[in-house]
């Protein structure tokens, strides 16, 4: 009997329609914990890294952690690990809400999805009953329509749904998997992989529970963690009151809010799209994921005229009621990166992204790149269809629908900004790494983030090593964002620790208030496996190297550990960080050395042996 | 006497109350066995924890054919005696609020007993949306229903 983990994996081959329940690989569970780690281990064992991400041979590992579904604060997460069509790298797309816990309650730690269905289908998992059902009538429907219809169709209102929207069906390279209407396994195009498998949705209802190895110790540990979260100003006030959007003004004041496709780093309308403005004018309530005691989720509304301000062809019935978002990253990508200072446009575009099932970060950043192409004359008006000027809320909203349905110029954006800028002869305007667009922190103003972006296994990402915590927020200690000293070590430690948190089933936002020291006793008491802090850091390092190894086998090398020329060579033109570039070259060799890789960034045999990966 | 007071406006739908309650019931985290449920009204952004408020009418008690439900004099809770309950489930039908449940594993009825005077859901709630306080008449249900009603009508009219 396993504790924490259910001990069962559900393997579904969509080609052969075979459904198999198999025991979880217990030794892998111990070595990789769950979520991101366990999924990567299964992927390494089962999927050829050189395949086309849309090939039926690609598999999707949808994995919870041992603390998913427990009452540990923020124990709601599931991870999607597959080969991503945006990056051709391993994905680590993470989502909260209630779907992951429901899958555990149904009795499974993970889903392994293989093959490709001959026609659209969905999965209906009701505890141990698993069916592949026809979804022909759902194909083309939005995420919100799909959820509503499926709850009625399966006849179980408590069922929880993870699905794709039109973007996933149309293989938009940054399509998401959405659950609970507004929660997304967002980045790298995992929704498009699901679409390529003709899988519309996974509907789950579980009535079982998560068992603990040592309930008494576990309960003491989780109380201790909750008290710490209550004492931290970030997790008890900043995030619940303003959401992640609290960062807009903070980052802007540091001159680190990328603006107009990274041409500038200060946004003149930051206040208008900030968490403070959202809270004061558009917020209905904050909302928590399963078991979350922080509740950073935003539920916003578009009152009166605001709801009708931008015309859309899809007409959700709840435009003028309430929906979630925007979060900081989305508000940045669609806001300052596109020069759009109208909060209502962002709320509406964010809902469209959720409803149509695409990553609001990559979508916004790709629109920004398209705007620069347009303004620089690389894309004429006849091609674009509509004027794509920076600052145009109309263009943003219109493109959301065009991209998701691949209509007109939208089909170029649907390929992501790397492919789009290459096609129009301006590859230098792509702002990202490994094909994935940057997140909302300017790497020229925050040096550590540059190293983090450049070395992130899933392409540019803020969630792999959030050095902003140290460099801007002073957590756990303040470091100078302009200095490169110490950033290699900081990045490595954050990468490893974050990988471990991602494996447990907990949300990273916990780490604003607590560390691995607080997670450790819960994890050990829940699973009955005695871990030490050193074990947890080693596990994180193992996960990081495994992901890197998988990417190496797909053909990637250290050459991809770089940043766009704009970030490396064009000094910031104005604002508090004026004159700076990212000095990646000062950090990368030290980073490779700390990682135990060779000078080209290749993982050494010794390192693989040390981590048990050889 | 102390009563549960639920303040839905403070609820974030984190389900910590369901997790705490199910842990008391089963020793595992199993929200489907919780005796307090959070009702989520997404489009209204309204989340309402909901459980037995130990009403004075206690139709569950009146309906029980074997007198398996007793009044706990210390807390005022209506408590199901497992050794007497025959699992006929009439109480689950008699309760107008739908807060008496049937446990398919034990074949007995099950309802909130205020944890003997120390409700786990109250301790677990991170936003103090559930309180255990001295109250005359638990009137939160009526006033909350009125507020939701008003808000719903305002929203239907296109306002906020």
């Amino acid at each position: 009997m396993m504790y924490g983990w259910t001990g069962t994996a559900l393997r579904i081959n969509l080609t052969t329609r075979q459904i198999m329940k198999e025991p979880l690989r217990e030794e892998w569970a111990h070595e990789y914990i769950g979520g991101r780690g366990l999924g990567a281990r299964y992927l390494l064992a089962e999927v050829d890294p050189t395949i086309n991400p849309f090939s039926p041979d690609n598999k999707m590992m949808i994995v919870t952690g041992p603390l998913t579904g427990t009452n540990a604060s923020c124990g709601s997460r599931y991870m999607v690990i597959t080969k991503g069509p945006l990056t051709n790298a391993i994905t680590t797309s993470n989502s909260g809400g209630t779907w992951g816990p429901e899958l555990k309650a149904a009795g499974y730690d993970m889903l392994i999805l293989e093959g490709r269905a001959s026609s659209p289908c969905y999965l209906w998992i009701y505890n141990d009953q698993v069916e592949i059902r026809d979804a022909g009538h759902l194909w083309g429907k939005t995420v919100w329509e799909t959820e509503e219809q499926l709850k009625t169709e399966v006849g179980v209102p408590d069922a929880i749904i993870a699905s794709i929207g039109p973007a996933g069906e149309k293989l938009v390279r940054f399509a998401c998997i959405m659950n609970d209407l507004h929660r997304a396994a967002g980045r790298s195009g995992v929704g498009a992989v699901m679409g390529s498998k003709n899988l519309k949705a996974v509907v789950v209802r579980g009535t079982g529970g998560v068992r603990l190895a040592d309930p008494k110790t576990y309960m003491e540990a989780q109380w201790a963690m909750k008290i710490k979260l209550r004492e931290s100003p970030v997790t008890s006030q900043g995030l619940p009151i303003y959401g992640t959007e609290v960062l807009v003004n903070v980052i802007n004041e540091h001159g680190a809010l990328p603006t107009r496709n990274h041409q500038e780093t200060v946004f003149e309308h930051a206040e208008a799209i900030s968490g403070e403005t959202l809270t004061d004018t558009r917020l209905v309530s904050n909302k928590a994921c399963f078991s979350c005691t922080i509740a950073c989720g935003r539920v916003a509304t578009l009152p009166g005229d605001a709801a009708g301000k931008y015309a859309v062809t899809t007409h959700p019935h709840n435009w003028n009621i309430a929906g979630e978002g925007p979060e900081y990253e989305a508000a940045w990508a669609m806001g300052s990166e596109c020069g759009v200072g109208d909060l209502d446009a962002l709320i509406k575009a964010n809902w469209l992204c959720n409803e149509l099932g695409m990553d609001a970060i990559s979508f916004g950043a790709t629109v920004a790149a398209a705007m620069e192409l347009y303004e620089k004359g690389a894309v004429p008006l006849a091609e674009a269809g509509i004027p794509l000027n920076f600052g145009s809320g109309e263009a943003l909203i219109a493109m959301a629908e065009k991209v998701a349905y691949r209509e007109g110029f939208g089909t170029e954006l649907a390929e992501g900004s790397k492919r789009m800028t290459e096609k129009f002869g301006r590859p230098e305007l792509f702002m990202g790494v490994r094909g994935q667009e940057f997140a909302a922190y300017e790497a020229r103003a925050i040096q550590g983030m540059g190293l983090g972006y450049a070395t992130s296994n899933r392409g540019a990402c803020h969630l792999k090593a959030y050095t902003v915590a140290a460099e801007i927020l002073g957590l756990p200690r303040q470091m100078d964002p302009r200095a490169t000293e110490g950033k290699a070590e900081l990045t490595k430690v954050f990468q490893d620790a974050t990988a471990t948190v991602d494996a447990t089933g907990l949300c990273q936002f916990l780490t604003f208030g607590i560390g691995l020291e607080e997670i450790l006793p819960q994890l050990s008491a829940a699973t009955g496996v005695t871990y030490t802090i050193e074990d947890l850091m080693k596990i994180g390092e193992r996960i990081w190297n495994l992901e890197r190894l998988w990417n190496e086998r797909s053909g990637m090398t250290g050459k991809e550990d770089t940043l766009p020329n704009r970030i490396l060579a064009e000094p910031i033109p104005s604002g508090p960080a004026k004159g700076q570039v990212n000095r990646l070259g000062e950090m990368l060799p030290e980073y490779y050395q700390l990682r135990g890789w060779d000078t080209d960034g290749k993982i050494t045999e010794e390192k693989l042996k040390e981590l048990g990966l050889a | 006497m102390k009563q549960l007071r639920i303040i839905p406006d403070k609820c974030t739908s984190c389900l910590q109350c369901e997790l705490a309650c199910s842990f008391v019931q089963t020793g595992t985290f199993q929200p489907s066995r919780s005796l307090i449920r959070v009702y989520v009204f997404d489009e209204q952004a309204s989340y309402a924890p909901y459980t037995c408020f130990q009403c004075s009418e206690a139709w569950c008690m009146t309906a029980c054919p074997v007198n398996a439900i007793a009044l706990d004099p210390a807390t005022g809770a209506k408590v199901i005696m497992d050794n007497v309950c025959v699992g006929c489930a009439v109480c689950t039908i008699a309760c107008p609020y739908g807060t008496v449940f049937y446990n398919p594993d034990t074949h007995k009825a099950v309802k909130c007993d205020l944890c003997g005077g120390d409700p786990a859901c109250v301790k677990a709630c991170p936003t103090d949306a559930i309180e255990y306080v001295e109250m005359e008449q638990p009137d939160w249900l009526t006033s909350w229903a009125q507020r939701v009603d008003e808000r719903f009508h305002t929203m239907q009219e296109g306002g906020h």
Side-chain angles (χ1 to χ4, degrees):
Chain A
M1 161 111 60
M2 291 178 85
Y3 296 94
W5 299 282
T6 67
T8 304
L10 180 61
R11 184 185 294 274
I12 295 169
N13 187 311
L14 295 163
T15 308
T16 62
R17 299 177 80 86
Q18 239 187 334
I19 297 166
M20 284 164 288
K21 289 157 197 161
E22 57 186 46
L24 195 71
R25 295 280 294 257
E26 199 167 336
E27 73 280 14
W28 288 354
H30 289 195
E31 284 168 22
Y32 293 90
I33 303 178
R36 183 172 158 193
L38 195 60
R41 186 65 191 85
Y42 271 85
L43 198 76
L44 184 80
E46 299 191 10
V47 177
D48 171 6
T50 62
I51 57 164
N52 180 329
F54 293 140
S55 144
D57 294 335
N58 195 6
K59 297 187 188 185
M60 298 181 80
M61 310 293 170
I62 307 184
V63 197
T64 64
L67 294 178
T68 306
T70 68
N71 77 336
S73 278
C74 313
S76 68
R77 316 304 290 191
Y78 71 90
M79 272 279 177
V80 185
I81 297 97
T82 185
K83 181 163 183 173
L86 187 67
T87 52
N88 281 322
I90 192 168
T91 70
T92 48
S93 298
N94 176 309
S95 179
T98 56
W99 191 88
E102 200 70 22
L103 184 71
K104 287 242 344 231
Y108 310 103
D109 291 304
M110 65 184 292
L111 292 184
I112 304 167
L113 300 174
E114 312 175 338
R116 174 190 288 154
S118 53
S119 61
C121 67
Y122 72 90
L123 302 177
W124 170 218
I125 301 171
Y126 193 166
N127 294 327
D128 54 356
Q129 297 170 38
V130 183
E131 289 175 45
I132 303 175
R133 290 185 168 190
D134 177 59
H137 58 298
L138 295 168
W139 209 248
K141 289 204 185 308
T142 69
V143 168
W144 300 351
E145 290 164 345
T146 302
E147 286 205 20
E148 192 173 352
Q149 190 161 338
L150 278 174
K151 284 194 186 199
T152 316
E153 196 168 309
V154 301
V156 180
D158 286 340
I160 309 292
I161 294 147
S163 66
I164 56 168
E169 296 172 13
K170 297 276 185 187
L171 309 184
V172 172
R173 286 184 189 268
F174 44 84
C176 313
I177 298 172
M178 302 293 303
N179 58 279
D180 298 88
L181 301 173
H182 296 280
R183 297 278 126 202
R187 303 214 70 188
S188 317
V190 293
V193 177
M194 192 156 147
S196 76
K197 299 197 171 304
N198 266 325
L199 181 62
K200 180 68 180 172
V202 183
V203 187
V204 186
R205 172 61 181 155
T207 58
V210 180
R211 294 178 301 261
L212 305 169
D214 179 355
K216 188 170 173 293
T217 311
Y218 170 86
M219 286 305 262
E220 284 164 9
Q222 64 87 24
W223 277 120
M225 178 159 103
K226 280 181 185 148
I227 289 165
K228 285 218 166 177
L229 290 173
R230 228 178 174 158
E231 286 165 354
S232 152
V234 181
T235 50
S236 70
Q237 291 174 33
L239 287 172
I241 296 173
Y242 297 114
T244 53
E245 266 259 81
V246 71
L247 286 166
V248 172
N249 282 329
V250 177
I251 302 299
N252 196 50
E253 281 158 18
H254 279 84
L257 191 69
T259 300
R260 296 181 191 86
N261 204 35
H262 286 68
Q263 295 183 85
E264 298 148 79
T265 66
V266 179
F267 187 43
E268 65 279 16
H269 300 303
E271 184 64 39
I273 63 165
S274 68
E276 290 82 345
T277 306
L278 179 70
T279 304
D280 290 347
T281 63
R282 295 292 183 254
L283 192 74
V284 184
S285 172
N286 62 332
K287 188 181 181 196
C289 293
F290 183 98
S291 79
C292 174
T293 56
I294 301 173
C296 72
R298 305 287 90 189
V299 183
T301 187
L302 286 173
D305 291 346
K309 197 152 68 178
Y310 298 98
V312 290
T313 53
T314 46
H315 290 287
H317 54 277
N318 55 352
W319 273 143
N320 54 5
I321 304 184
E324 285 184 48
E327 310 299 330
Y328 169 63
E329 304 294 332
W332 158 77
M334 300 188 292
S336 70
E337 187 75 333
C338 291
V340 176
D342 179 356
L343 184 60
D344 291 336
L346 305 189
I347 292 174
K348 200 160 196 172
N350 189 73
W351 288 354
L352 277 172
C353 284
N354 290 352
E355 199 192 4
L356 301 170
M358 58 188 177
D359 170 22
I361 304 178
S362 280
F363 166 70
T366 303
V367 171
M371 285 173 164
E372 192 170 358
L373 285 174
Y374 176 81
E375 292 204 342
K376 299 235 155 104
V379 172
L381 180 60
E383 179 108 37
I386 51 170
L388 288 177
N389 292 104
F390 280 114
S392 169
E394 285 83 4
L396 183 71
I397 304 264
M399 287 321 291
E401 293 187 308
K402 286 182 191 294
V403 172
Y405 290 101
R406 279 190 181 262
E407 287 166 2
F409 191 60
T411 199
E412 306 296 345
L413 278 77
E415 292 294 303
S417 49
K418 180 168 191 285
R419 290 171 178 82
M420 177 186 67
T421 51
E422 278 168 5
K423 177 165 177 180
F424 291 95
R426 301 295 296 271
E428 75 280 8
L429 299 186
F430 161 61
M431 291 297 122
V433 175
R434 289 186 178 76
Q436 180 158 290
E437 294 77 9
F438 284 127
Y441 309 89
E442 173 59 59
R444 285 172 289 186
I446 310 171
Q447 294 294 329
M449 283 308 283
L451 182 61
Y453 286 141
T455 56
S456 163
N457 291 320
R458 72 148 164 182
C461 174
H462 60 296
L463 291 171
K464 297 294 160 275
Y466 194 72
T467 60
V468 173
E471 294 178 278
I472 301 289
L473 307 174
L475 297 169
R477 65 194 161 85
Q478 185 70 50
M479 291 178 82
D480 180 1
R482 297 178 185 209
T484 54
E485 292 87 52
K487 297 299 167 63
E489 191 187 359
L490 180 76
T491 301
K492 177 189 179 289
V493 169
F494 273 40
Q495 285 173 340
D496 292 350
T498 304
T500 302
V501 176
D502 280 345
T504 59
L506 299 175
C507 171
Q508 289 179 21
F509 284 11
L510 279 174
T511 55
F512 285 118
I514 55 108
L516 287 179
E517 297 76 16
E518 282 79 15
I519 294 172
L520 171 73
Q522 290 183 77
L523 184 66
S524 291
T527 59
V529 180
T530 312
Y531 291 109
T532 63
I533 288 288
E534 293 71 35
D535 291 338
L536 295 190
M537 287 307 288
K538 193 53 107 184
I539 286 168
E541 188 184 8
R542 187 179 296 130
I543 295 170
W544 191 267
N545 279 273
L546 192 157
E547 291 171 349
R548 175 100 176 173
L549 179 68
W550 200 85
N551 282 348
E552 273 185 9
R553 290 183 183 171
S554 81
M556 286 189 190
T557 64
K559 286 201 182 77
E560 271 107 322
D561 296 338
T562 188
L563 297 167
N565 192 55
R566 179 169 285 171
I567 306 300
L568 294 174
E570 289 178 25
I572 292 175
S574 59
K578 185 178 174 183
Q580 291 187 65
V581 293
N582 188 278
R583 308 195 299 283
L584 183 65
E586 293 174 17
M587 300 178 280
L588 198 59
E590 187 190 353
Y591 172 84
Y592 284 166
Q593 198 180 8
L594 287 168
R595 279 264 171 236
W597 301 342
D598 72 17
T599 49
D600 295 326
K602 187 166 168 30
I603 312 174
T604 56
E605 282 302 313
E606 300 82 75
K607 185 47 89 176
L608 289 177
K609 280 207 189 88
E610 180 198 322
L611 295 169
L613 289 167
Chain B
M1 191 157 290
K2 278 186 165 184
Q3 312 267 6
L4 284 182
R5 176 158 67 198
I6 295 179
I7 306 148
D9 285 350
K10 290 188 181 178
C11 176
T12 62
S13 85
C14 75
L15 311 182
Q16 281 286 346
C17 53
E18 292 192 9
L19 289 159
C21 182
S22 75
F23 185 75
V24 171
Q25 309 303 320
T26 68
T28 68
F29 295 113
Q30 190 174 7
S32 69
R33 288 281 185 278
S34 174
L35 306 176
I36 185 167
R37 300 287 168 95
V38 179
Y39 286 76
V40 177
F41 302 93
D42 261 319
E43 292 175 9
Q44 285 74 31
S46 186
Y47 321 109
Y50 194 72
T51 188
C52 172
F53 60 99
Q54 318 296 347
C55 68
S56 46
E57 292 90 345
W59 291 1
C60 56
M61 273 177 94
T62 314
C64 179
V66 295
N67 292 329
I69 305 182
L71 180 74
D72 179 343
T75 62
K78 279 74 181 177
V79 181
I80 295 171
M81 293 176 285
D82 269 356
N83 56 345
V84 183
C85 176
V86 293
C88 72
V90 166
C91 54
T92 67
I93 303 163
C95 173
Y97 304 106
T99 55
V100 186
F101 301 92
Y102 179 77
N103 183 332
D105 296 334
T106 59
H107 304 289
K108 306 271 183 191
V110 56
K111 70 177 285 299
C112 170
D113 61 1
L114 294 172
C115 297
D118 186 17
C121 55
V122 173
K123 270 194 292 193
C125 180
T127 60
D128 302 324
I130 312 170
E131 298 175 339
Y132 189 53
V133 289
E134 290 292 340
M135 261 196 314
E136 280 295 307
Q137 276 274 318
D139 65 344
W140 59 266
L141 188 65
T142 325
S143 59
W144 174 75
Q146 273 169 358
R147 280 203 310 282
V148 168
D149 223 29
E150 281 162 22
R151 195 194 288 185
F152 184 72
H153 283 301
T154 325
M155 284 172 166
Q156 290 290 299
E157 284 152 21
H160 167 210

